[in-house]
Amino acid sequence: MSLKEFAGTLPDFAKDIRLNVGSLLNEAHLPDQQKYGLLLTCAHGSGYKPLVDATEAEVEGKLSPEAANAARAAAAVMAMNNVYYRFTHLAGNQEYRNMPARLRMNVIGAPGIDKVDFELFSLAVSAMNGCGMCIDAHENVLKKAGTSAEAIQTAVRIGAVMKAVATVHAAVN
């Protein structure tokens, strides 16, 4: 089942979400690797298997194996980092910010694809997970690399829509 078909199973009260999925699939502001990589990253970041399966089918043949693996890796490492760094940011005790994380996250330094693409993937999942510290860190790297505000906004928009698809579908199925 394609992602558009999957979105088509959403109830009428989520018509806007269905329409937004169609808009994302037709998104022309990002190169295909970024667009499809973001869709895959955000599906995995949602943790909702039916959405992951539909998105895996959607991106098959549209992403290189390296890009698909990097998208999955971004979701995996952000699942960990967003919890840890959100804690260090929100904890009243500032001592935690100065302690080494002691978490393996080598994929961030060597994702196997263009660093900007991986940072966009990581930013979108960080936005989905509500980690302000990670959002700021990834956005800063992207801006220093010359990424446009429009590309950054589009990445977060993809995260928002994919999160909504997962949330609504899980609630009604």
Side-chain angles (χ1 to χ4, degrees):
M1 172 184 304
S2 73
L3 183 55
K4 187 168 185 161
E5 291 168 335
F6 183 81
T9 68
L10 295 175
D12 286 340
F13 69 80
K15 180 181 178 183
D16 289 331
I17 306 306
R18 287 195 312 254
L19 294 172
N20 284 325
V21 169
S23 294
L24 294 181
L25 291 170
N26 294 319
E27 177 61 54
H29 292 86
L30 297 176
D32 280 353
Q33 178 166 299
Q34 289 179 355
K35 176 174 74 173
Y36 291 112
L38 281 160
L39 290 167
L40 187 58
T41 301
C42 294
H44 278 271
S46 77
Y48 189 57
K49 179 108 170 78
L51 179 58
V52 170
D53 292 343
T55 308
E56 288 279 356
E58 182 70 42
V59 305
E60 190 171 340
K62 297 174 184 166
L63 283 176
S64 68
E66 295 81 13
N69 189 58
R72 294 178 197 110
V77 77
M78 288 306 112
M80 172 183 68
N81 284 3
N82 293 159
V83 171
Y84 180 81
Y85 288 106
R86 189 172 53 237
F87 164 76
T88 64
H89 178 73
L90 295 175
N93 183 345
Q94 299 299 306
E95 179 180 8
Y96 301 113
R97 287 190 187 188
N98 299 320
M99 297 171 75
R102 293 193 316 233
L103 297 171
R104 288 193 178 269
M105 53 185 101
N106 295 333
V107 72
I108 294 172
I113 61 168
D114 185 84
K115 181 77 169 153
V116 168
D117 293 355
F118 192 81
E119 288 292 329
L120 275 174
F121 301 168
S122 298
L123 172 69
V125 174
S126 295
M128 288 172 64
N129 292 335
C131 181
M133 183 178 275
C134 292
I135 289 168
D136 286 344
H138 296 296
E139 195 255 353
N140 285 334
V141 170
L142 288 163
K143 289 306 249 179
K144 286 179 184 171
T147 306
S148 70
E150 183 175 52
I152 291 169
Q153 181 208 35
T154 300
V156 174
R157 200 165 42 88
I158 290 171
V161 172
M162 294 297 279
K163 175 68 173 168
V165 170
T167 299
V168 172
H169 196 272
V172 298
N173 288 301

